[in-house]
Amino acid sequence: MKDRPLTVTLHIGGKQVDTLTAEQTERMAERLSEAMTLYYSAHPQEYQELKPRT
């Protein structure tokens, strides 16, 4: 499974899209950042497991 690339299909307004505008990309990045912040704030032990050990 690890050798297979991750693929996604995007749908906006019920229509499949192949590319996003810069505005759509920025908004998606903002929403992802907000969601990850909320998740890892509630699960700090999982965040610690992601950090490389020194």
Side-chain angles (χ1 to χ4, degrees):
M1 273 312 263
K2 290 184 180 185
D3 294 333
R4 292 178 40 191
L6 176 65
T7 59
V8 297
T9 303
L10 298 174
H11 295 263
I12 297 178
K15 295 182 181 180
Q16 184 174 338
V17 295
D18 294 323
T19 59
L20 298 174
T21 66
E23 182 180 336
Q24 290 169 322
T25 301
E26 179 64 27
R27 183 65 186 134
M28 186 179 291
E30 289 171 4
R31 292 178 69 189
L32 177 59
S33 178
E34 292 168 7
M36 291 179 72
T37 296
L38 286 172
Y39 180 84
Y40 285 117
S41 291
H43 303 90
Q45 71 284 358
E46 291 188 32
Y47 180 73
Q48 288 296 324
E49 292 174 15
L50 292 176
K51 294 171 67 175
R53 298 197 170 130
T54 56

